Amino acid sequence: MKKYLILLLFLILLISCKKEKELVQDNATKNLPINPVVEIKKENISKGNKLFLNGNYEEALKYYEKGVKENKSVAYYNIGVSYFLLGNLAESEKYFKLAIKDDPQFKEAYINLVAVLVNEGKADEAEKYIKIIEKYDDLKTYINLANLYLLKGSTAKSYYYFQKALDKGKDNDFVKSSFGSFLISVNNIDQGIKYLLEIKNKGYDEYFNLAKAFYYKKDYKQSINFIKKAIEIKKTEKALKLLADNYNAINDYILEASILSELIELKNRPEYRYRFSLALFKSGDFSKAKEVINSLINQYPFEGKYYKLKYDILINEQKYVEAKNVLAKAYKRINSSFFKYLYVKHLLLYFNDYKSAEKLIKRAKATNDYDYLAYAVYYAKVKQFDKMISALSKINKKDSEYYFLYSYYFIVKGDYKTALKYIDKMSVYENRYYIYKFVSLWNIADLDGLIRLSKLRIDYLKYNRQKPDISFKIKANVYDIGFLYRYDDNFEDVLRLFLVPLIIDPNESVEFLVLGYKLLQDKENIKAINELKKSANFNEGIYYNNKGVKAYLNFKFYDAIKNFKLAAKLLKNNPIINYNLGLSYLSLGDLKRAYSYFDSALLNNKFILYAYLGKAVIFHLEGKMSRISTQYDLVLNNYDISKDKLEYPQIFKYAKYLAEIGLGKYDEVIFEVANSNHDFLYETFMGKLAQFFKERDKTFDVDKFKNIYNFVCFNDLLNNNLSFTGNRVCDHYKAYKRVKSDDVNFSPNFKKDKYEIAQNTMYFVALNKLKDAFKNLQVLSRKDFRYPRLYEISFYYFLLIRDFINAEASYTTLEKLKHSNLYTQYYRMLYFLLNYNEKRLVKEINKFIKDYPVDYKGLMVDALFSFKNNNLKKILDDLISIKSITPDAEQRWSLEILLNDL
């Protein structure tokens, strides 16, 4: 009986002791894996709890330590909770173990101990307590078990316990936070973010985990936003590190350096100091970066990466002697093959010291990757590429240096697409990454790629400032040659086909001219015209003009000119005859005379609308693109002025249609033709032509339009029927198309006059048949040695073969002949780019861009000049302008960049 009484008293005492332990509800541990402190009615422990609830954990510890005398297990337990919140996990672990030792039944102590061990990454030790705590049915037990299994790599078991926690408290913020973090850790990032965002009162952990999740998603803006909120609550090492990582990811090295500076104040680790120096370097603060890295080298003289960073800084400061000394010191101290390779590379690249480099290489037998790299860079420098490839083939671990050498090899070989595959495996912080990639993208004419690269490189304005060692080469290109006949499917090319000479009808056209003069000229001229009408020569003049028109329409342009000139003698300054002469010379390829006659026609009567169209064609051929639309506007303005006051022949309305098509007003032409009261074939054709330029629909009713002048030629060009017909303009258009398509089997043979010989020479140049081109130049010289086109073509020819003496002679002769156009000015730029003269080149670039603001060639040369001088901002501006002015500029690329050295 006495025995049972003692047992009963023990149970009563045990129950009363359990009731004395009461968990204190607080905000500090609410969303943490540990349970809060315990309250018992003991003086020191109660005082400690009051301080704890106010967040004064260090002061609370003093009372808990006194409370050990009052209740060991509770005091030790509360100390463990306090140390956890202070971030001292080792002490927290120690005191939870003491609490358990004193009270082996202390449930919360077991749960908290497992939480601490998981946080410390001690999975094996935590696992010893699984059987004890897994019998407990509460949220924090399930969360800690889930975290423990996650730490051990058992995702399925972890998920099982998270589900049990959710079943017990799906609306509990701590459960949501823990499960959201779990989902993020198993790469179910979006679902994890969803759980974390549902938490209304987010704390440090929620903000940190959200920041981590968005960092994984590469949404750095959101990540930065959340990590800053986490830091506002608690500035921790891992939070600052994540913020620094974000700034690094967005290439904001200034802010990265700022955060790393704070991180170093918190934890002065060598790795953070190294990153700090690297960020300063990338942001362009070389002086401060050197200061930091020097202190690391002094403290850790055998850490190789510190020397490498200092070397990189000095290279970007272009302090090549100091950089060499750093490598020499690193090689001596560390004696690694890596620094031997860097030393060899440096001697070769910056000092051309082949002897010292070779001596270093042969000091010991090659046994590892960097030894073979040292051989490879030496062979690359001396251009013994077979030996270079042999050395590279022995390398096992392929890094940026390996890809750098292969990139160079393929660039030298002209295989730029393959080079790009290797370049993209190089470090983007290597200066040659940018140089090699720019060269390769330029040489395959990837304008969009160049713009992307240049935008990326703008972030490195103070980084990698070494100028590239390059030269340039011209590739023959139809767009670089001032052809007298060219067909690139532009409107002005087509317009030239459909310009027709004008007949003079005594009963209609004379009246039109007279009324025109009445409208715009003074009385003296009216009298002159009246006198002209009375002249007996008038009808004879009309006869010769109309005879010339007939010859022209039969493609007999010299006969046409002969008759037009006879008519001009009889009808002095007649604007129609002057226009007809201009058109005939345009068809022959004499642009200078053609322009003069068109101008003369308009000087006498500005209502000869076709003369404006003829000038537009010439401006197009001469590259004066900004002046073309003005001619179309003049056609429309003068048509509007006179349409109600002059009785225009119907053909002049077609000039209006053509001008509208030239300005892109396709719908206006289509609408007007569709609603016309007339049933003129040519007017119907104008509507169809507008439709063609709007939609590029090549379907024309051949039978319907075949009698329209030059329609058959136009249709042949559309359908790539390039057989010659005896129509001079048409045949040259077809020849041009064959040359443009690189028809190597085509051997042009046009030689009726100097204009055709000039055009023929241009064909050979464009086809890169330079021997044939030279023979034609000799023929042209014998034909007319004062003909300006002779020297224009020879200027380009001698630039192609890099004969700068004869190129200079050609351009000097052009100056004496006062012959200047877009192409001769372009060739002057090329002359000073190839035969490099920076001062003269800048002058020529500025002049070209001023004179031809909407032509890409000046910008193209300027971009190359800027690249040679490492002017990144100017390169980007030029490339964007080229893309805007000439969307198909890639097809016109004619300059190749050559790497002179590694």
Side-chain angles (χ1 to χ4, degrees):
M1 182 69 184
K2 185 178 178 182
K3 180 179 176 183
Y4 288 115
L5 183 62
I6 292 169
L7 182 61
L8 180 63
L9 287 170
F10 176 77
L11 289 170
I12 293 168
L13 181 64
L14 184 64
I15 291 166
S16 65
C17 287
K18 285 185 179 179
K19 285 183 178 178
E20 282 180 0
K21 289 181 183 178
E22 182 182 340
L23 293 176
V24 177
Q25 298 304 313
D26 65 72
N27 289 324
T29 61
K30 186 179 179 181
N31 288 330
L32 293 176
I34 63 167
N35 288 293
V37 292
V38 168
E39 172 63 31
I40 59 171
K41 293 178 181 179
K42 298 295 178 180
E43 182 181 355
N44 287 306
I45 290 175
S46 293
K47 285 182 178 179
N49 286 345
K50 285 181 182 179
L51 291 165
F52 180 94
L53 289 171
N54 289 322
N56 198 340
Y57 308 127
E58 291 181 352
E59 286 298 314
L61 280 170
K62 295 176 184 178
Y63 284 95
Y64 293 147
E65 286 166 359
K66 292 177 183 179
V68 171
K69 295 177 181 178
E70 299 170 345
N71 187 312
K72 282 185 180 181
S73 63
V74 171
Y76 289 146
Y77 172 84
N78 286 0
I79 290 170
V81 173
S82 300
Y83 273 124
F84 186 92
L85 292 175
L86 288 169
N88 191 336
L89 297 181
E91 286 296 295
S92 181
E93 178 190 340
K94 171 186 169 182
Y95 280 97
F96 286 135
K97 285 180 177 178
L98 287 172
I100 291 168
K101 184 179 179 182
D102 187 66
D103 181 1
Q105 304 301 317
F106 202 156
K107 167 189 168 183
E108 288 79 16
Y110 282 110
I111 295 170
N112 286 9
L113 176 59
V114 171
V116 172
L117 291 170
V118 169
N119 270 271
E120 290 179 304
K122 297 177 178 180
D124 292 338
E125 189 175 350
E127 193 175 12
K128 297 174 184 176
Y129 300 98
I130 288 177
K131 288 184 178 179
I132 296 173
I133 71 168
E134 65 183 359
K135 62 188 176 184
Y136 302 142
D137 181 25
D138 65 63
L139 284 173
K140 297 212 174 185
T141 298
Y142 294 140
I143 295 298
N144 281 307
L145 283 168
N147 287 334
L148 172 56
Y149 281 117
L150 181 62
L151 182 63
K152 286 178 64 62
S154 181
T155 307
K157 282 188 177 181
S158 179
Y159 183 76
Y160 166 77
Y161 279 107
F162 274 122
Q163 284 298 320
K164 286 182 76 71
L166 285 167
D167 292 341
K168 197 161 188 68
K170 64 178 181 180
D171 296 323
N172 184 285
D173 282 349
F174 175 58
V175 175
K176 288 180 180 178
S177 176
S178 300
F179 189 53
S181 300
F182 162 75
L183 291 169
I184 291 166
S185 70
V186 296
N187 210 31
N188 192 347
I189 295 172
D190 290 332
Q191 199 65 20
I193 289 172
K194 179 184 175 185
Y195 272 95
L196 292 174
L197 289 175
E198 286 177 0
I199 300 169
K200 291 181 180 178
N201 298 314
K202 297 178 186 68
Y204 168 85
D205 286 329
E206 288 73 40
Y207 285 128
F208 178 81
N209 286 320
L210 279 167
K212 188 166 62 172
F214 281 110
Y215 179 79
Y216 293 154
K217 285 171 65 70
K218 298 185 180 180
D219 187 344
Y220 303 117
K221 184 177 179 181
Q222 285 275 51
S223 183
I224 290 168
N225 175 48
F226 284 117
I227 200 61
K228 282 183 175 178
K229 289 181 178 180
I231 290 170
E232 285 175 9
I233 297 170
K234 186 167 53 176
K235 186 185 283 189
T236 65
E237 180 182 356
K238 68 178 184 178
L240 287 171
K241 183 178 180 299
L242 180 56
L243 183 55
D245 291 342
N246 269 286
Y247 286 132
N248 179 273
I250 61 173
N251 301 329
D252 193 334
Y253 302 118
I254 293 174
L255 285 176
E256 183 193 8
S258 174
I259 298 304
L260 286 167
S261 178
E262 287 187 54
L263 189 54
I264 290 165
E265 288 180 16
L266 196 67
K267 291 285 181 181
N268 189 8
R269 301 183 193 276
E271 184 58 30
Y272 295 153
R273 288 161 63 193
Y274 171 74
R275 276 192 62 183
F276 180 45
S277 179
L278 185 60
L280 289 167
F281 166 49
K282 290 178 181 178
S283 67
D285 191 346
F286 299 148
S287 177
K288 181 67 175 173
K290 275 195 296 185
E291 182 184 321
V292 176
I293 206 66
N294 280 336
S295 70
L296 281 168
I297 290 172
N298 291 334
Q299 195 173 352
Y300 306 98
F302 297 99
E303 183 57 64
K305 67 180 180 180
Y306 300 158
Y307 292 98
K308 175 62 167 63
L309 179 53
K310 184 176 181 180
Y311 171 75
D312 289 339
I313 295 167
L314 290 168
I315 287 296
N316 281 277
E317 289 183 312
Q318 299 179 43
K319 295 179 179 177
Y320 302 127
V321 174
E322 284 185 55
K324 183 176 78 169
N325 293 337
V326 167
L327 290 178
K329 186 183 290 186
Y331 180 50
K332 184 178 180 181
R333 282 184 176 174
I334 301 170
N335 194 26
S336 74
S337 296
F338 172 70
F339 281 108
K340 182 176 80 171
Y341 161 68
L342 278 185
Y343 200 9
V344 168
K345 177 183 172 185
H346 187 84
L347 290 169
L348 292 170
L349 264 60
Y350 300 106
F351 294 95
N352 291 318
D353 188 348
Y354 297 93
K355 187 176 180 181
S356 297
E358 188 176 14
K359 186 178 178 181
L360 264 174
I361 292 168
K362 293 181 177 179
R363 183 173 290 180
K365 188 178 178 181
T367 58
N368 58 51
D369 288 351
Y370 286 112
D371 287 340
Y372 291 120
L373 271 172
Y375 274 101
V377 75
Y378 176 80
Y379 290 132
K381 179 72 175 177
V382 297
K383 292 186 168 53
Q384 293 182 21
F385 291 117
D386 289 343
K387 290 183 177 180
M388 181 202 84
I389 290 169
S390 176
L392 289 175
S393 69
K394 297 170 184 175
I395 291 172
N396 295 312
K397 187 179 178 182
K398 299 171 176 61
D399 63 5
S400 184
E401 299 295 331
Y402 171 91
Y403 296 118
F404 144 65
L405 290 169
Y406 257 120
S407 300
Y408 174 69
Y409 168 73
F410 283 110
I411 289 172
V412 171
K413 294 296 180 185
D415 187 350
Y416 303 112
K417 289 185 178 179
T418 304
L420 282 167
K421 293 176 183 178
Y422 285 92
I423 292 165
D424 284 335
K425 294 178 182 178
M426 288 172 62
S427 167
V428 295
Y429 304 114
E430 163 66 53
N431 191 39
R432 281 168 180 76
Y433 167 84
Y434 168 65
I435 293 171
Y436 287 7
K437 190 159 188 176
F438 190 96
V439 168
S440 299
L441 289 171
W442 182 281
N443 289 341
I444 63 170
D446 185 350
L447 184 53
D448 290 330
L450 286 166
I451 291 172
R452 284 194 300 272
L453 176 67
S454 300
K455 284 179 178 177
L456 176 68
R457 209 62 182 176
I458 287 293
D459 294 331
Y460 303 89
L461 285 177
K462 294 182 179 179
Y463 184 67
N464 286 329
R465 297 181 295 181
Q466 183 186 354
K467 294 180 181 179
D469 184 5
I470 54 173
S471 55
F472 307 98
K473 176 184 175 183
I474 310 175
K475 297 178 288 185
N477 186 306
V478 292
Y479 296 105
D480 285 358
I481 302 171
F483 285 98
L484 303 175
Y485 309 87
R486 64 185 315 133
Y487 189 84
D488 297 311
D489 297 318
N490 294 307
F491 171 70
E492 286 72 29
D493 303 330
V494 176
L495 175 61
R496 186 177 187 177
L497 288 175
F498 294 117
L499 289 179
V500 291
L502 301 175
I503 62 170
I504 301 176
D505 189 320
N507 298 320
E508 294 180 10
S509 295
V510 172
E511 188 64 25
F512 151 66
L513 289 173
V514 173
L515 289 172
Y517 277 107
K518 281 183 179 179
L519 185 64
L520 295 173
Q521 308 296 329
D522 58 36
K523 292 179 181 179
E524 296 302 317
N525 285 331
I526 292 172
K527 288 179 180 179
I529 291 296
N530 287 332
E531 289 300 315
L532 188 60
K533 282 178 66 178
K534 296 174 185 177
S535 171
N537 293 332
F538 194 72
N539 285 332
E540 190 177 357
I542 292 172
Y543 167 77
Y544 283 118
N545 178 77
N546 294 349
K547 188 177 178 183
V549 169
K550 184 178 179 181
Y552 183 96
L553 294 177
N554 285 293
F555 315 122
K556 297 176 180 179
F557 303 123
Y558 279 109
D559 287 349
I561 288 171
K562 179 182 175 182
N563 282 288
F564 290 144
K565 283 187 173 181
L566 288 171
K569 285 181 180 179
L570 297 165
L571 304 175
K572 296 186 184 300
N573 293 324
N574 183 284
I576 288 181
I577 295 171
N578 282 336
Y579 161 73
N580 289 344
L581 279 165
L583 185 60
S584 300
Y585 280 114
L586 177 60
S587 295
L588 285 180
D590 190 338
L591 306 186
K592 185 175 180 180
R593 284 187 185 176
Y595 185 87
S596 175
Y597 278 111
F598 288 144
D599 229 20
S600 179
L602 293 169
L603 186 66
N604 285 283
N605 190 330
K606 68 177 184 177
F607 297 113
I608 305 299
L609 305 183
Y610 278 92
Y612 296 114
L613 299 178
K615 288 175 72 173
V617 171
I618 294 171
F619 288 143
H620 174 72
L621 288 167
E622 293 181 341
K624 298 175 181 177
M625 303 304 176
S626 59
R627 299 182 67 180
I628 295 171
S629 61
T630 304
Q631 302 308 306
Y632 299 142
D633 287 332
L634 286 167
V635 171
L636 300 182
N637 292 340
N638 286 305
Y639 182 86
D640 288 340
I641 289 170
S642 58
K643 65 181 178 181
D644 296 326
K645 299 179 181 179
L646 294 177
E647 213 173 297
Y648 263 131
Q650 182 68 19
I651 194 170
F652 277 84
K653 192 170 187 179
Y654 305 150
K656 168 185 169 288
Y657 288 148
L658 289 167
E660 286 175 332
I661 295 171
L663 291 170
K665 298 180 178 182
Y666 310 125
D667 289 331
E668 292 183 27
V669 176
I670 293 166
F671 177 81
E672 190 170 345
V673 170
N675 292 277
S676 172
N677 295 324
H678 304 291
D679 188 22
F680 296 123
L681 180 64
Y682 207 88
E683 186 170 38
T684 304
F685 177 67
M686 289 292 106
K688 182 60 181 173
L689 194 62
Q691 191 79 35
F692 165 74
F693 278 103
K694 180 183 178 182
E695 299 173 0
R696 291 289 172 174
D697 178 7
K698 297 181 180 181
T699 307
F700 282 82
D701 188 335
V702 177
D703 288 334
K704 184 174 183 178
F705 298 124
K706 64 183 179 183
N707 291 324
I708 290 176
Y709 179 71
N710 267 335
F711 171 78
V712 172
C713 172
F714 175 59
N715 193 59
D716 282 349
L717 291 164
L718 289 181
N719 294 288
N720 221 33
N721 177 9
L722 304 182
S723 56
F724 298 147
T725 61
N727 175 347
R728 180 173 176 132
V729 176
C730 187
D731 287 350
H732 278 294
Y733 272 13
K734 290 177 177 181
Y736 177 85
K737 285 198 74 172
R738 291 184 68 175
V739 170
K740 189 178 176 182
S741 66
D742 293 322
D743 184 351
V744 292
N745 296 317
F746 177 51
S747 184
N749 189 30
F750 297 94
K751 54 186 180 183
K752 288 181 182 176
D753 50 38
K754 64 183 180 183
Y755 312 112
E756 283 207 323
I757 297 169
Q759 181 82 2
N760 212 56
T761 309
M762 295 176 197
Y763 293 146
F764 282 124
V765 171
L767 288 167
N768 208 32
K769 295 182 177 182
L770 299 184
K771 288 184 179 179
D772 292 317
F774 185 70
K775 290 177 183 177
N776 272 253
L777 283 171
Q778 290 177 316
V779 172
L780 187 58
S781 176
R782 290 193 293 269
K783 192 83 171 176
D784 183 355
F785 74 93
R786 292 188 60 80
Y787 181 40
R789 296 281 175 179
L790 165 67
Y791 301 99
E792 180 181 320
I793 305 162
S794 66
F795 193 1
Y796 186 60
Y797 168 83
F798 288 123
L799 288 173
L800 280 171
I801 63 171
R802 300 183 74 84
D803 181 346
F804 298 121
I805 294 174
N806 280 309
E808 184 176 2
S810 296
Y811 115 65
T812 302
T813 306
L814 286 169
E815 283 188 327
K816 289 179 180 178
L817 294 172
K818 296 180 179 179
H819 176 73
S820 177
N821 58 31
L822 178 146
Y823 299 98
T824 60
Q825 285 188 225
Y826 174 51
Y827 300 158
R828 287 164 68 98
M829 283 193 297
L830 293 183
Y831 176 76
F832 292 116
L833 179 70
L834 300 177
N835 189 28
Y836 197 70
N837 183 322
E838 184 169 316
K839 188 175 179 180
R840 294 294 300 273
L841 176 60
V842 171
K843 181 180 176 182
E844 292 297 333
I845 289 171
N846 291 336
K847 186 177 188 312
F848 187 96
I849 292 173
K850 181 182 176 183
D851 291 348
Y852 302 96
V854 295
D855 191 275
Y856 70 96
K857 295 182 184 68
L859 295 166
M860 179 174 70
V861 175
D862 192 50
L864 290 176
F865 169 71
S866 300
F867 176 59
K868 188 174 177 69
N869 287 280
N870 207 22
N871 187 341
L872 297 176
K873 286 185 176 178
K874 194 70 176 73
I875 292 168
L876 181 59
D877 289 344
D878 285 336
L879 293 172
I880 291 172
S881 297
I882 290 170
K883 186 72 176 177
S884 173
I885 291 170
T886 314
D888 66 339
E890 292 99 329
Q891 299 173 21
R892 302 164 183 257
W893 235 233
S894 58
L895 282 164
E896 186 176 359
I897 306 174
L898 305 176
L899 279 179
N900 295 333
D901 205 345
L902 269 169

